[in-house]
PDB file of all heavy atoms in Angstrom:
ATOM      1  N   MET A 156      21.195  38.467   0.615  1.00  0.00           N
ATOM      2  CA  MET A 156      21.366  39.800   1.175  1.00  0.00           C
ATOM      3  C   MET A 156      22.631  39.904   2.018  1.00  0.00           C
ATOM      4  O   MET A 156      22.877  40.888   2.676  1.00  0.00           O
ATOM      5  CB  MET A 156      20.143  40.192   2.019  1.00  0.00           C
ATOM      6  CG  MET A 156      18.847  40.237   1.229  1.00  0.00           C
ATOM      7  SD  MET A 156      18.927  41.281  -0.215  1.00  0.00           S
ATOM      8  CE  MET A 156      18.532  42.833   0.498  1.00  0.00           C
ATOM      9  N   TRP A 157      23.449  38.859   2.000  1.00  0.00           N
ATOM     10  CA  TRP A 157      24.701  38.850   2.747  1.00  0.00           C
ATOM     11  C   TRP A 157      25.553  40.044   2.365  1.00  0.00           C
ATOM     12  O   TRP A 157      25.632  40.414   1.210  1.00  0.00           O
ATOM     13  CB  TRP A 157      25.447  37.546   2.448  1.00  0.00           C
ATOM     14  CG  TRP A 157      26.794  37.469   3.059  1.00  0.00           C
ATOM     15  CD1 TRP A 157      27.091  37.070   4.311  1.00  0.00           C
ATOM     16  CD2 TRP A 157      28.036  37.805   2.437  1.00  0.00           C
ATOM     17  NE1 TRP A 157      28.449  37.131   4.507  1.00  0.00           N
ATOM     18  CE2 TRP A 157      29.043  37.585   3.373  1.00  0.00           C
ATOM     19  CE3 TRP A 157      28.395  38.276   1.184  1.00  0.00           C
ATOM     20  CZ2 TRP A 157      30.374  37.805   3.109  1.00  0.00           C
ATOM     21  CZ3 TRP A 157      29.722  38.507   0.917  1.00  0.00           C
ATOM     22  CH2 TRP A 157      30.693  38.267   1.869  1.00  0.00           C
ATOM     23  N   ARG A 158      26.165  40.635   3.337  1.00  0.00           N
ATOM     24  CA  ARG A 158      27.079  41.752   3.095  1.00  0.00           C
ATOM     25  C   ARG A 158      28.498  41.304   3.441  1.00  0.00           C
ATOM     26  O   ARG A 158      28.698  40.609   4.424  1.00  0.00           O
ATOM     27  CB  ARG A 158      26.718  42.951   3.969  1.00  0.00           C
ATOM     28  CG  ARG A 158      25.358  43.521   3.653  1.00  0.00           C
ATOM     29  CD  ARG A 158      25.461  44.432   2.448  1.00  0.00           C
ATOM     30  NE  ARG A 158      24.187  45.030   2.173  1.00  0.00           N
ATOM     31  CZ  ARG A 158      23.560  44.894   1.026  1.00  0.00           C
ATOM     32  NH1 ARG A 158      24.053  44.190   0.079  1.00  0.00           N
ATOM     33  NH2 ARG A 158      22.418  45.483   0.822  1.00  0.00           N
ATOM     34  N   PRO A 159      29.493  41.743   2.676  1.00  0.00           N
ATOM     35  CA  PRO A 159      30.864  41.373   2.993  1.00  0.00           C
ATOM     36  C   PRO A 159      31.279  41.965   4.330  1.00  0.00           C
ATOM     37  O   PRO A 159      30.774  43.010   4.731  1.00  0.00           O
ATOM     38  CB  PRO A 159      31.673  41.968   1.845  1.00  0.00           C
ATOM     39  CG  PRO A 159      30.804  42.947   1.174  1.00  0.00           C
ATOM     40  CD  PRO A 159      29.389  42.565   1.485  1.00  0.00           C
ATOM     41  N   PRO A 160      32.186  41.295   5.043  1.00  0.00           N
ATOM     42  CA  PRO A 160      32.613  41.814   6.343  1.00  0.00           C
ATOM     43  C   PRO A 160      33.374  43.127   6.177  1.00  0.00           C
ATOM     44  O   PRO A 160      34.012  43.363   5.152  1.00  0.00           O
ATOM     45  CB  PRO A 160      33.527  40.715   6.887  1.00  0.00           C
ATOM     46  CG  PRO A 160      33.975  39.963   5.688  1.00  0.00           C
ATOM     47  CD  PRO A 160      32.859  40.066   4.680  1.00  0.00           C
ATOM     48  N   ALA A 161      33.279  43.966   7.202  1.00  0.00           N
ATOM     49  CA  ALA A 161      34.031  45.210   7.184  1.00  0.00           C
ATOM     50  C   ALA A 161      35.521  44.876   7.255  1.00  0.00           C
ATOM     51  O   ALA A 161      35.930  43.981   7.987  1.00  0.00           O
ATOM     52  CB  ALA A 161      33.620  46.083   8.358  1.00  0.00           C
ATOM     53  N   VAL A 162      36.299  45.581   6.493  1.00  0.00           N
ATOM     54  CA  VAL A 162      37.738  45.329   6.461  1.00  0.00           C
ATOM     55  C   VAL A 162      38.402  46.239   7.479  1.00  0.00           C
ATOM     56  O   VAL A 162      38.224  47.447   7.456  1.00  0.00           O
ATOM     57  CB  VAL A 162      38.313  45.586   5.052  1.00  0.00           C
ATOM     58  CG1 VAL A 162      39.815  45.396   5.045  1.00  0.00           C
ATOM     59  CG2 VAL A 162      37.646  44.684   4.047  1.00  0.00           C
ATOM     60  N   SER A 163      39.144  45.628   8.379  1.00  0.00           N
ATOM     61  CA  SER A 163      39.857  46.383   9.395  1.00  0.00           C
ATOM     62  C   SER A 163      41.333  46.399   9.041  1.00  0.00           C
ATOM     63  O   SER A 163      41.901  45.388   8.651  1.00  0.00           O
ATOM     64  CB  SER A 163      39.649  45.735  10.768  1.00  0.00           C
ATOM     65  OG  SER A 163      40.480  46.373  11.717  1.00  0.00           O
ATOM     66  N   LYS A 164      41.974  47.560   9.204  1.00  0.00           N
ATOM     67  CA  LYS A 164      43.404  47.650   8.931  1.00  0.00           C
ATOM     68  C   LYS A 164      44.218  47.149  10.111  1.00  0.00           C
ATOM     69  O   LYS A 164      45.416  46.976  10.015  1.00  0.00           O
ATOM     70  CB  LYS A 164      43.767  49.087   8.582  1.00  0.00           C
ATOM     71  CG  LYS A 164      43.141  49.519   7.280  1.00  0.00           C
ATOM     72  CD  LYS A 164      43.558  50.885   6.872  1.00  0.00           C
ATOM     73  CE  LYS A 164      42.828  51.217   5.574  1.00  0.00           C
ATOM     74  NZ  LYS A 164      43.263  52.372   4.945  1.00  0.00           N
ATOM     75  N   ASN A 165      43.561  46.920  11.242  1.00  0.00           N
ATOM     76  CA  ASN A 165      44.230  46.415  12.428  1.00  0.00           C
ATOM     77  C   ASN A 165      44.251  44.891  12.360  1.00  0.00           C
ATOM     78  O   ASN A 165      43.204  44.262  12.372  1.00  0.00           O
ATOM     79  CB  ASN A 165      43.474  46.894  13.675  1.00  0.00           C
ATOM     80  CG  ASN A 165      44.146  46.462  14.949  1.00  0.00           C
ATOM     81  OD1 ASN A 165      45.034  45.604  14.947  1.00  0.00           O
ATOM     82  ND2 ASN A 165      43.716  47.063  16.048  1.00  0.00           N
ATOM     83  N   PRO A 166      45.448  44.248  12.305  1.00  0.00           N
ATOM     84  CA  PRO A 166      45.500  42.781  12.191  1.00  0.00           C
ATOM     85  C   PRO A 166      44.939  42.055  13.406  1.00  0.00           C
ATOM     86  O   PRO A 166      44.625  40.880  13.325  1.00  0.00           O
ATOM     87  CB  PRO A 166      46.996  42.485  12.007  1.00  0.00           C
ATOM     88  CG  PRO A 166      47.713  43.707  12.441  1.00  0.00           C
ATOM     89  CD  PRO A 166      46.764  44.856  12.315  1.00  0.00           C
ATOM     90  N   ASP A 167      44.783  42.758  14.537  1.00  0.00           N
ATOM     91  CA  ASP A 167      44.196  42.118  15.718  1.00  0.00           C
ATOM     92  C   ASP A 167      42.690  41.945  15.572  1.00  0.00           C
ATOM     93  O   ASP A 167      42.058  41.223  16.325  1.00  0.00           O
ATOM     94  CB  ASP A 167      44.501  42.929  16.978  1.00  0.00           C
ATOM     95  CG  ASP A 167      45.987  42.947  17.283  1.00  0.00           C
ATOM     96  OD1 ASP A 167      46.675  41.957  16.963  1.00  0.00           O
ATOM     97  OD2 ASP A 167      46.448  43.962  17.830  1.00  0.00           O
ATOM     98  N   HIS A 168      42.103  42.644  14.614  1.00  0.00           N
ATOM     99  CA  HIS A 168      40.661  42.534  14.355  1.00  0.00           C
ATOM    100  C   HIS A 168      40.440  41.738  13.086  1.00  0.00           C
ATOM    101  O   HIS A 168      39.784  42.186  12.158  1.00  0.00           O
ATOM    102  CB  HIS A 168      40.014  43.917  14.223  1.00  0.00           C
ATOM    103  CG  HIS A 168      40.086  44.714  15.477  1.00  0.00           C
ATOM    104  ND1 HIS A 168      40.781  45.882  15.540  1.00  0.00           N
ATOM    105  CD2 HIS A 168      39.585  44.491  16.714  1.00  0.00           C
ATOM    106  CE1 HIS A 168      40.691  46.372  16.770  1.00  0.00           C
ATOM    107  NE2 HIS A 168      39.974  45.541  17.489  1.00  0.00           N
ATOM    108  N   ALA A 169      40.983  40.561  13.048  1.00  0.00           N
ATOM    109  CA  ALA A 169      40.890  39.725  11.840  1.00  0.00           C
ATOM    110  C   ALA A 169      39.453  39.266  11.617  1.00  0.00           C
ATOM    111  O   ALA A 169      38.663  39.159  12.547  1.00  0.00           O
ATOM    112  CB  ALA A 169      41.802  38.509  11.959  1.00  0.00           C
ATOM    113  N   ASP A 170      39.154  38.992  10.388  1.00  0.00           N
ATOM    114  CA  ASP A 170      37.850  38.452  10.005  1.00  0.00           C
ATOM    115  C   ASP A 170      37.662  37.110  10.699  1.00  0.00           C
ATOM    116  O   ASP A 170      38.483  36.207  10.537  1.00  0.00           O
ATOM    117  CB  ASP A 170      37.829  38.296   8.485  1.00  0.00           C
ATOM    118  CG  ASP A 170      36.549  37.681   7.971  1.00  0.00           C
ATOM    119  OD1 ASP A 170      35.595  37.500   8.734  1.00  0.00           O
ATOM    120  OD2 ASP A 170      36.518  37.384   6.768  1.00  0.00           O
ATOM    121  N   PRO A 171      36.582  36.919  11.484  1.00  0.00           N
ATOM    122  CA  PRO A 171      36.410  35.653  12.195  1.00  0.00           C
ATOM    123  C   PRO A 171      36.223  34.454  11.274  1.00  0.00           C
ATOM    124  O   PRO A 171      36.464  33.328  11.668  1.00  0.00           O
ATOM    125  CB  PRO A 171      35.168  35.882  13.060  1.00  0.00           C
ATOM    126  CG  PRO A 171      34.465  37.034  12.443  1.00  0.00           C
ATOM    127  CD  PRO A 171      35.517  37.854  11.749  1.00  0.00           C
ATOM    128  N   GLY A 172      35.838  34.684  10.036  1.00  0.00           N
ATOM    129  CA  GLY A 172      35.665  33.583   9.100  1.00  0.00           C
ATOM    130  C   GLY A 172      36.962  33.199   8.388  1.00  0.00           C
ATOM    131  O   GLY A 172      37.010  32.242   7.638  1.00  0.00           O
ATOM    132  N   ARG A 173      38.006  33.960   8.638  1.00  0.00           N
ATOM    133  CA  ARG A 173      39.271  33.713   7.958  1.00  0.00           C
ATOM    134  C   ARG A 173      40.198  32.880   8.841  1.00  0.00           C
ATOM    135  O   ARG A 173      40.193  33.019  10.065  1.00  0.00           O
ATOM    136  CB  ARG A 173      39.927  35.052   7.643  1.00  0.00           C
ATOM    137  CG  ARG A 173      41.039  34.943   6.624  1.00  0.00           C
ATOM    138  CD  ARG A 173      41.498  36.301   6.214  1.00  0.00           C
ATOM    139  NE  ARG A 173      42.560  36.694   7.127  1.00  0.00           N
ATOM    140  CZ  ARG A 173      43.112  37.875   7.161  1.00  0.00           C
ATOM    141  NH1 ARG A 173      42.680  38.824   6.373  1.00  0.00           N
ATOM    142  NH2 ARG A 173      44.070  38.155   7.988  1.00  0.00           N
ATOM    143  N   ASN A 174      41.002  32.085   8.234  1.00  0.00           N
ATOM    144  CA  ASN A 174      41.980  31.279   8.944  1.00  0.00           C
ATOM    145  C   ASN A 174      43.023  32.212   9.550  1.00  0.00           C
ATOM    146  O   ASN A 174      43.639  33.007   8.842  1.00  0.00           O
ATOM    147  CB  ASN A 174      42.619  30.292   7.958  1.00  0.00           C
ATOM    148  CG  ASN A 174      43.603  29.362   8.612  1.00  0.00           C
ATOM    149  OD1 ASN A 174      44.081  29.600   9.722  1.00  0.00           O
ATOM    150  ND2 ASN A 174      43.930  28.299   7.917  1.00  0.00           N
ATOM    151  N   PRO A 175      43.275  32.150  10.876  1.00  0.00           N
ATOM    152  CA  PRO A 175      44.228  33.073  11.502  1.00  0.00           C
ATOM    153  C   PRO A 175      45.650  32.914  10.972  1.00  0.00           C
ATOM    154  O   PRO A 175      46.458  33.810  11.063  1.00  0.00           O
ATOM    155  CB  PRO A 175      44.163  32.744  12.997  1.00  0.00           C
ATOM    156  CG  PRO A 175      43.376  31.506  13.116  1.00  0.00           C
ATOM    157  CD  PRO A 175      42.657  31.287  11.835  1.00  0.00           C
ATOM    158  N   ASP A 176      45.969  31.767  10.371  1.00  0.00           N
ATOM    159  CA  ASP A 176      47.298  31.556   9.818  1.00  0.00           C
ATOM    160  C   ASP A 176      47.503  32.311   8.517  1.00  0.00           C
ATOM    161  O   ASP A 176      48.601  32.355   7.986  1.00  0.00           O
ATOM    162  CB  ASP A 176      47.552  30.066   9.582  1.00  0.00           C
ATOM    163  CG  ASP A 176      47.554  29.285  10.893  1.00  0.00           C
ATOM    164  OD1 ASP A 176      47.904  29.875  11.940  1.00  0.00           O
ATOM    165  OD2 ASP A 176      47.175  28.103  10.855  1.00  0.00           O
ATOM    166  N   GLN A 177      46.441  32.905   7.978  1.00  0.00           N
ATOM    167  CA  GLN A 177      46.527  33.616   6.701  1.00  0.00           C
ATOM    168  C   GLN A 177      46.685  35.127   6.886  1.00  0.00           C
ATOM    169  O   GLN A 177      46.468  35.875   5.971  1.00  0.00           O
ATOM    170  CB  GLN A 177      45.292  33.341   5.860  1.00  0.00           C
ATOM    171  CG  GLN A 177      45.183  31.910   5.404  1.00  0.00           C
ATOM    172  CD  GLN A 177      43.915  31.690   4.595  1.00  0.00           C
ATOM    173  OE1 GLN A 177      42.988  32.485   4.640  1.00  0.00           O
ATOM    174  NE2 GLN A 177      43.893  30.589   3.871  1.00  0.00           N
TER     175      GLN A 177
END
Side-chain angles (χ1 to χ4, degrees):
M156 299 306 274
W157 175 85
R158 296 279 183 238
V162 177
S163 173
K164 294 184 182 190
N165 183 347
D167 295 329
H168 296 117
D170 177 8
R173 196 172 90 187
N174 183 343
D176 296 331
Q177 293 179 342

